[in-house]
Every structure is written in structure tokens, then in C-alpha cells.
Amino acid sequence: METDKKRGGRGHLKRWMQALALVYVLMFLPVHGFREAESAGAGGGSLYTGADTDCSPAGGTEEKGEQQKPRIALTFDDGPSAVYTPMLLDGLKERGVRATFFLVGENIVKDGNQRIVRRMYDEGHLLGNHTYHHVDLSALSKEEAHEELAMTDALIREITGRETEIVRPPFGAFPDRMEEELDKLYVKWTVDPLDWTLRNTDEIVRRAVTDIEENDIILLHDCYESSVKAALRIVDVLQGKGYEFVTADELLAE
Ligand code: NI
């Protein structure tokens, strides 16, 4: 009898909880539906025009995640350049943008460029390895290729005290089976405006922003004035369309 009562009590409680859950679902669903429709309806244009969150640290609640801006990454190969990289860093700082730099060892050691690398690190940019001599690694033995990366790793470690976790081989090529052996992530790209052949700011911008999509990784080179000017205009255009620029690891961590 007592057992039955208890069962009855539990059954009653269970029905109550089910009813509450249903009410909760009914209340919650339309909110979700509205938010999804809102962001889907905005298409590729100005997606979310909420508070300006540039430079704010990543993370936050699930609620914020739903309203997150579409994200893209700017990546720069072949630097640093004593002349053009500081111009780029100034412009990125003004705009609250963090980028990813794939550095060439022999460019780090010349012209006092170590200071530029330190500045990149201090300003929150992500540093990656682009070999020491900007060589085609696939033309080298695996030992030589590892040495090319190790030399640049050592330079970056000396300057920042941090290990380099990302790599982009020149010409996109590794010796056979080397990529799997590395303890680094090979960061490829999805948008290549061929800035180094064009040397034309307007055309680089046009090629980079046309058909851009969320999660794209743009490839540029910070050793040309036209590329640096284009990069900053690309930021202005795409920030205006609601995109947020993040470092490549943040994009790939999704
Ligand atoms: Ni390169």
C-alpha cells in the first residue's frame, strides 16, 4: 500500500516534470527559431550588428556563441619586412584585428626584424613557421627539411619564449610523409588573390572580398606595399559586412 502510494507519488511528480519540460520547450523553441531565421535571413551581408566586440577575448557563454559574427582569418607569408610589416601592424592595431604570420627565418634575422616579431607577439598575432630560407621542402631530404623548420622555430622561441605550433611550407609542399610526422598544424588557405603577382591594391582587394565566406583563410604577403594597403582595405570592407577577423588557430579549432 505504502509502496503503491510512493509509486503513485513518483508517477505524479514525473508527469509534472514532463509538463514543465514541455512548457519550457514551447517557450524556448520560438526564441531559437527567431534567432536562426534572423541570421539566415541576413545572408552573406551584414549578419550581426550587435555590440562592437573587436579585440575582446574569445569565449563566453553559449548565448553569445549563437550571436557570434562570421569569422575569417588573414594570413601573411614571407615576412617580416622592415619597411612594410610595421605599416601593416599599425593598421591592424587601429582596427583591432589579429592576424597570422608565417615567418621566414632569414628575414627575422636581418634589419633588426626581431623587434617586429616581438611586436607581433605582444599585439596578439599568431606566429607560424615558413622555413628558414624560403625553400621548397619537397626538394630536400626529410632531415634537411626538418632543419629548415627547426632553425626558424629556434628564432621564434628565442624572441617569444613560445613554441611555434603552426607551419605553412613554401609552395605548399613537404617531403613525402613529413607532414604526418610534424608536431605542427599545416595551415592552408582558401582565398589566394595572388597579391605578389598583381601588385595592384584595388585588384587584390576585389579578388579577396568577392565571394568571401565565413571561415575563409586569406593568403597575402606582408613584403609588398600594395599587399599591406590591400590587407587594411580588406579589413575595412569585411568588418563593414559584419565579419570578425581571428587568428588561424581560432578558426581551425571549431
Ligand atoms: Ni612564401
Side-chain angles (χ1 to χ4, degrees):
M1 188 75 175
E2 208 179 304
T3 317
D4 283 345
K5 259 189 190 168
K6 271 186 187 167
R7 272 187 195 143
R10 276 187 198 144
H12 188 66
L13 185 62
K14 197 175 165 191
R15 279 194 298 278
W16 250 108
M17 285 174 73
Q18 282 169 341
L20 276 173
L22 184 64
V23 168
Y24 177 75
V25 165
L26 287 174
M27 284 174 69
F28 192 66
L29 266 181
V31 177
H32 261 269
F34 173 70
R35 286 208 183 112
E36 275 159 19
E38 188 180 48
S39 59
S46 53
L47 286 182
Y48 170 63
T49 50
D52 183 1
T53 56
D54 291 338
C55 245
S56 63
T61 62
E62 232 180 87
E63 196 73 6
K64 276 183 187 163
E66 282 180 53
Q67 298 179 350
Q68 205 170 50
K69 292 177 176 184
R71 308 198 299 175
I72 45 179
L74 272 180
T75 64
F76 297 91
D77 287 8
D78 296 4
S81 148
V83 180
Y84 301 115
T85 307
M87 284 170 50
L88 175 64
L89 292 175
D90 289 345
L92 293 176
K93 194 177 181 183
E94 271 169 36
R95 291 160 176 81
V97 165
R98 286 172 302 124
T100 304
F101 291 87
F102 291 93
L103 304 171
V104 172
E106 64 182 355
N107 289 340
I108 296 176
V109 296
K110 71 181 178 194
D111 302 329
N113 285 348
Q114 289 95 335
R115 275 179 289 119
I116 298 176
V117 176
R118 180 68 212 187
R119 180 178 170 194
M120 287 173 176
Y121 179 73
D122 288 342
E123 294 181 359
H125 301 293
L126 181 65
L127 308 185
N129 193 323
H130 199 52
T131 74
Y132 190 88
H133 295 104
H134 200 272
V135 283
D136 179 355
L137 292 179
S138 67
L140 303 180
S141 71
K142 246 200 273 182
E143 291 68 33
E144 289 167 330
H146 277 294
E147 184 57 21
E148 274 286 331
L149 295 179
M151 284 160 67
T152 296
D153 274 349
L155 287 173
I156 296 174
R157 189 188 310 120
E158 228 169 77
I159 297 167
T160 67
R162 294 281 300 269
E163 289 300 326
T164 308
E165 289 172 348
I166 53 169
V167 61
R168 180 180 280 167
F171 319 104
F174 282 114
D176 279 350
R177 292 187 302 281
M178 181 173 166
E179 188 182 340
E180 303 84 75
E181 291 171 14
L182 290 173
D183 55 352
K184 296 184 196 309
L185 182 67
Y186 172 15
V187 176
K188 298 180 183 169
W189 57 91
T190 58
V191 176
D192 180 3
L194 296 173
D195 62 323
W196 57 280
T197 51
L198 289 173
R199 311 281 184 97
N200 175 320
T201 302
D202 290 343
E203 186 59 14
I204 297 167
V205 173
R206 194 188 65 75
R207 289 198 191 186
V209 304
T210 308
D211 303 327
I212 194 90
E213 288 180 347
E214 185 169 11
N215 297 323
D216 267 334
I217 297 177
I218 302 172
L219 167 63
L220 292 167
H221 299 79
D222 52 322
C223 39
Y224 307 107
E225 187 174 16
S226 51
S227 298
V228 167
K229 286 183 171 169
L232 300 177
R233 288 222 331 246
I234 289 166
V235 169
D236 292 339
V237 170
L238 296 180
Q239 279 186 335
K241 289 187 173 182
Y243 285 93
E244 181 184 11
F245 287 85
V246 296
T247 50
D249 57 341
E250 289 177 67
L251 214 55
L252 298 169
E254 298 268 294

